[in-house]
Amino acid sequence: MIDQKILSKIYLGAVLPTMEALSIEDPEASSYAAQWNGRIRIAVGFTGPRCDIAFKDSRVEVESGGRGRSNVYLFFPTTKMLNALFTGKGLSIPIPLKGFTRLKGLKVFSLLAKRMEKVLDGGAAPEKIMARITMDIMVRTLAIIAGDDPELHPLAQKLHGKMEFRIKNGHAAYVDFTGGRPKSIVGTLERPDCLFEFATDDIFLKVAEDKVDVLAEASLLNISLKGDLHMAQVVNIFLDKIGAYLPQKEVAK
Amino acid sequence: MSDYILKKSFELMARAVRVIPQGTYGHFTPAFAVPGSYPYYFSKAKGSHFWDVDGNEYIDYMCAYGPMILGYANDKIDDAYRKQASLGSCCSVVSDLSVDLAERITRTIDGADWVMFAKNGADTTSMAIMLARGYKKRTKIVLAEGGYHGTQPWSGSNSVGINPSDRTDIVMVPWGDLNAFKEVIAIHKDQIAGAMFTPYHHPAFEDQKLPESSFWPAMRRICDENDIMLIIDDVRAGWRLDLKGSAHYFGIRPDMACFSKAMANGYPISMLVGTEKLRITTSKAYLTGSFWMNTPEMAATLVCLDEMERINVTKVVKELGEALMKGLVDLAAVHGLKVSISGPPSIPFMKFANETNSLRSQLFCGECAKRGVFFHPHHNWFLSAAHTMEDINKSLEVADTGFKIVKKNFGG
């Protein structure tokens, strides 16, 4: 059973930030982002998850929390309505509390969202970009469900340390389980407590798509698993759960 | 000594992954050791050594994860096995050997009034909880967090394909925590059929934990007061602490105990032993397996028991373990490193005291493997009677290099 509130957090906190990377790495997305400067807030209910999408000089930043001034304010009365925006299933009509005359901003957001969907569907971006955004979605989702999912949270509380996912000579991101809420961070560590390193973008994407025998690839040295392997075992349970929250296309096709 | 080359191991693994999930699975997966430093396939084994498919020789401190106690390819045991195999392995009726062996076991294991043979430890742990439930007509079983009793759905060691209902009646407590045990008894009053624990705590990745002297007598008393069957899973530790059973070593008599691993020095056999009060319930249960009554393993067990008794195996492996552990502690100190040794000397585990992520252990064990000494960074080790002081000294020479490399890479 998927908790719709957690799913909303994943969409706003893990999937939507893909726009950031696309505005930098993907020329088409960058050209859309360049068409408007401003800030769009998305909020679910009065106490639900929210975020701001800031457009500035062809770059996009997605900030969770939604504080300060925004030019456009899209209010989704329920998590289900917000989630429907991403899944395309069910009714998804936000209430424009503010800025509904800022058609330019809404148009740019819509163009970017369509581009993001196309990229996430696969085939529209180079493998390197796919690997980067997939890893970021995976790690951000991992941190969210480790903190919020009632089955996973007790397991996450027993973990102590930082687990890094890294593509050899490429992108890296990690989850910090050192205390309090698990946090996802893009970047690499000198000595993570547990390291999951993939020889190539392709191997990583296949792991993300659940199309590879991870332990076999580890034995063949295409994947390196070092450090706290107990943490790796637990995180593996979390990774399996990501598939339950996100339909395959949100991770990669 | 130059580092080993593992060319054939990798070639075989590349073939294996096409036809065997994970290449090889369970505790044998190289992914949980240090891939790239460890051999994947052995070609022969003798005494305390094995040779991999690339011809590299190893002094083995994993002893096949426990089963090897008198040395690989032990002539006496192998002869007994071969002789019996030539007379027929499994048959349409059981062999007289099953009676001989059961009698021998009841004379050997303290408190064993009857014996049920099987093949693997997991057969017996499942059997034990079933019989406890059958005897007590209660549903719940208490296990220890981090304990290992096999990969069955109820055991908690697997996350794939497990229904919540598989573990509905399993109650977990921290190993060795009498108060937690009392609490779950209070919560599940008159519902707990049995409590199954290993004789001491031997989790993977962590230090092993020996019981306080008061622990087992107190546990026995609490179980008696609450009419709970006390089951000892002696599959891993059995035969290395006391031939009468690890429970005897720690001063208690369980209601049932599970044995396997070293009982036939590597041949597949396991057994559940129990006390008189459980005999009738056990007699009503339908328990069987195609190969549970195979005779060569029983012949091997009989000789293995004689041999273990003759050489006083528990004393031998204890002394060897003490020598190895003392050597490792001293050597680590020379390099300014601090290691923690846990568990009984015959089943020891070494970790670096200033880490919880095993990075130093992985480097140390990987470097030792590359130089012919097979330790494990995450799982307890085993000594055998086939190890010699020459093995220990050679291993310490290699360990010296391992510690040097750890010091260089981590500084301390």
Side-chain angles (χ1 to χ4, degrees):
Chain A
M1 189 73 176
I2 295 305
D3 183 314
Q4 293 293 321
K5 189 172 177 183
I6 297 173
L7 188 57
S8 289
K9 279 191 178 184
I10 292 170
Y11 282 133
L12 295 187
V15 177
L16 208 53
T18 302
M19 286 184 176
E20 292 182 0
L22 287 179
S23 73
I24 298 166
E25 305 278 357
D26 181 61
E28 187 178 329
S30 189
S31 72
Y32 297 143
Q35 292 173 25
W36 187 64
N37 283 345
R39 181 177 281 260
I40 296 173
R41 176 162 306 156
I42 296 179
V44 184
F46 293 106
T47 56
R50 57 187 57 207
C51 74
D52 280 0
I53 308 150
F55 294 76
K56 194 179 179 193
D57 302 334
S58 81
R59 296 285 177 267
V60 176
E61 274 185 40
V62 179
E63 299 158 11
S64 65
R67 289 174 208 92
R69 293 172 61 85
S70 65
N71 306 97
V72 178
Y73 194 144
L74 300 177
F75 180 79
F76 291 82
T78 67
T79 51
K80 261 193 170 174
M81 289 179 92
L82 182 276
N83 297 341
L85 177 73
F86 287 86
T87 60
K89 293 173 192 164
L91 188 67
S92 178
I93 304 170
I95 300 167
L97 290 184
K98 183 183 177 187
F100 50 90
T101 56
R102 309 255 175 165
L103 293 178
K104 184 77 174 171
L106 286 170
K107 188 183 163 203
V108 166
F109 175 64
S110 172
L111 285 168
L112 255 179
K114 279 192 180 128
R115 178 63 187 161
M116 181 177 79
E117 188 181 2
K118 195 171 176 193
V119 169
L120 291 175
D121 276 350
E127 191 174 70
K128 199 170 187 58
I129 296 176
M130 276 307 291
R132 174 185 169 169
I133 59 178
T134 303
M135 182 177 286
D136 290 348
I137 290 174
M138 187 181 86
V139 169
R140 286 190 290 249
T141 305
L142 210 158
I144 291 167
I145 62 175
D148 287 0
D149 185 282
E151 274 177 29
L152 305 185
H153 183 59
L155 298 173
Q157 281 185 309
K158 290 180 185 169
L159 299 179
H160 301 286
K162 294 171 183 167
M163 171 144 192
E164 180 172 326
F165 296 84
R166 185 191 296 165
I167 295 160
K168 202 169 184 181
N169 304 316
H171 193 60
Y174 61 94
V175 181
D176 184 348
F177 292 104
T178 50
R181 242 192 113 71
K183 290 186 283 287
S184 64
I185 294 149
V186 172
T188 189
L189 294 160
E190 191 184 342
R191 198 162 268 164
D193 295 290
C194 185
L195 173 65
F196 215 149
E197 188 178 58
F198 308 88
T200 62
D201 293 322
D202 177 56
I203 292 267
F204 167 70
L205 286 169
K206 282 187 177 143
V207 171
E209 292 165 33
D210 210 8
K211 285 183 179 164
V212 77
D213 181 338
V214 171
L215 294 183
E217 293 302 327
S219 294
L220 294 172
L221 309 185
N222 293 322
I223 294 171
S224 167
L225 201 45
K226 278 186 194 156
D228 186 345
L229 299 191
H230 174 63
M231 182 186 284
Q233 284 180 327
V234 175
V235 168
N236 190 42
I237 296 170
F238 299 176
L239 290 174
D240 271 350
K241 194 83 186 257
I242 290 179
Y245 277 103
L246 289 179
Q248 192 61 43
K249 72 170 194 174
E250 261 77 17
V251 181
K253 210 163 201 175
Chain B
M1 196 184 287
S2 61
D3 289 3
Y4 285 178
I5 290 164
L6 302 169
K7 187 170 175 283
K8 285 186 184 166
S9 264
F10 282 104
E11 286 169 358
L12 270 168
M13 182 55 76
R15 282 169 53 197
V17 299
R18 292 186 210 120
V19 287
I20 302 171
Q22 299 179 19
T24 184
Y25 45 87
H27 61 290
F28 289 111
T29 176
F32 287 129
V34 186
S37 301
Y38 277 74
Y40 295 168
Y41 299 94
F42 87 102
S43 60
K44 64 172 180 173
K46 182 72 184 169
S48 57
H49 293 219
F50 75 84
W51 288 259
D52 70 15
V53 285
D54 288 283
N56 304 308
E57 182 178 358
Y58 300 85
I59 303 170
D60 184 9
Y61 290 100
M62 292 310 291
C63 297
Y65 290 80
M68 188 279 275
I69 191 166
L70 296 176
Y72 291 119
N74 179 288
D75 291 336
K76 282 186 183 171
I77 293 159
D78 290 1
D79 284 348
Y81 182 94
R82 277 191 291 262
K83 189 177 164 201
Q84 186 58 40
S86 72
L87 298 172
S89 179
C90 60
C91 190
S92 305
V93 295
V94 300
S95 155
D96 55 344
L97 273 180
S98 61
V99 183
D100 292 343
L101 182 55
E103 286 174 349
R104 176 73 160 91
I105 293 295
T106 54
R107 287 198 304 274
T108 304
I109 302 294
D110 186 20
D113 293 320
W114 51 261
V115 189
M116 297 284 284
F117 296 113
K119 272 281 148 283
N120 283 289
D123 298 332
T124 64
T125 54
S126 290
M127 210 189 285
I129 65 169
M130 217 168 125
L131 293 174
R133 284 169 169 159
Y135 177 67
K136 288 314 306 169
K137 307 280 190 288
R138 296 174 180 175
T139 55
K140 300 213 179 286
I141 298 291
V142 180
L143 303 177
E145 291 163 4
Y148 181 80
H149 306 288
T151 60
Q152 312 88 313
W154 57 263
S155 70
S157 58
N158 198 356
S159 63
V160 177
I162 306 299
N163 293 331
S165 60
D166 292 327
R167 284 176 53 79
T168 301
D169 289 314
I170 299 294
V171 182
M172 305 301 288
V173 295
W175 192 95
D177 188 338
L178 289 170
N179 288 330
F181 186 55
K182 285 182 204 164
E183 276 172 32
V184 300
I185 290 172
I187 293 167
H188 304 286
K189 193 161 172 54
D190 297 333
Q191 294 177 66
I192 297 172
M196 179 155 60
F197 301 112
T198 52
Y200 70 93
H201 198 35
H202 43 63
F205 305 109
E206 293 171 31
D207 286 329
Q208 302 186 92
K209 205 185 284 179
L210 290 169
E212 305 270 332
S213 60
S214 59
F215 172 72
W216 279 118
M219 177 60 79
R220 178 72 271 182
R221 183 174 43 75
I222 296 166
C223 285
D224 288 343
E225 285 168 2
N226 293 279
D227 218 4
I228 291 168
M229 295 297 100
L230 179 57
I231 306 159
I232 297 292
D233 178 349
D234 211 2
V235 170
R236 193 184 302 183
W239 318 104
R240 279 185 167 85
L241 298 178
D242 194 313
L243 292 188
K244 292 180 179 177
S246 302
H248 180 82
Y249 179 84
F250 289 116
I252 51 141
R253 269 193 183 172
D255 298 299
M256 286 182 277
C258 309
F259 294 87
S260 183
K261 288 212 184 264
M263 69 186 280
N265 196 48
Y267 289 109
I269 185 166
S270 62
M271 64 180 186
L272 176 71
V273 303
T275 53
E276 194 57 41
K277 66 181 171 191
L278 283 141
R279 185 191 296 271
I280 299 303
T281 300
T282 306
S283 74
K284 292 177 186 171
Y286 184 69
L287 297 163
T288 191
S290 297
F291 305 106
W292 283 11
M293 301 307 276
N294 272 21
T295 56
E297 295 89 318
M298 291 183 175
T301 304
L302 280 164
V303 175
C304 187
L305 288 170
D306 287 347
E307 195 61 7
M308 288 194 291
E309 207 167 74
R310 186 185 70 77
I311 66 169
N312 196 357
V313 71
T314 53
K315 182 171 181 284
V316 174
V317 292
K318 178 174 181 279
E319 288 172 0
L320 287 163
E322 283 169 348
L324 178 66
M325 292 305 114
K326 183 181 183 314
L328 288 171
V329 170
D330 291 349
L331 267 179
V334 168
H335 290 282
L337 298 166
K338 201 171 171 198
V339 294
S340 70
I341 304 287
S342 61
S346 54
I347 318 170
F349 186 44
M350 188 198 86
K351 286 185 69 186
F352 287 82
N354 55 338
E355 71 174 9
T356 54
N357 56 24
S358 305
L359 285 164
R360 289 170 183 79
S361 289
Q362 287 161 7
L363 180 63
F364 173 79
C365 292
E367 292 300 324
C368 289
K370 285 194 258 183
R371 292 165 177 80
V373 177
F374 200 94
F375 296 133
H376 200 292
H378 311 123
H379 189 289
N380 67 260
W381 310 346
F382 298 88
L383 272 295
S384 79
H387 284 97
T388 63
M389 277 314 295
E390 193 189 345
D391 286 334
I392 304 286
N393 292 332
K394 270 191 192 167
S395 305
L396 291 174
E397 274 177 39
V398 167
D400 187 44
T401 306
F403 284 131
K404 203 178 289 174
I405 292 167
V406 169
K407 178 75 178 175
K408 191 179 163 196
N409 276 266
F410 288 89

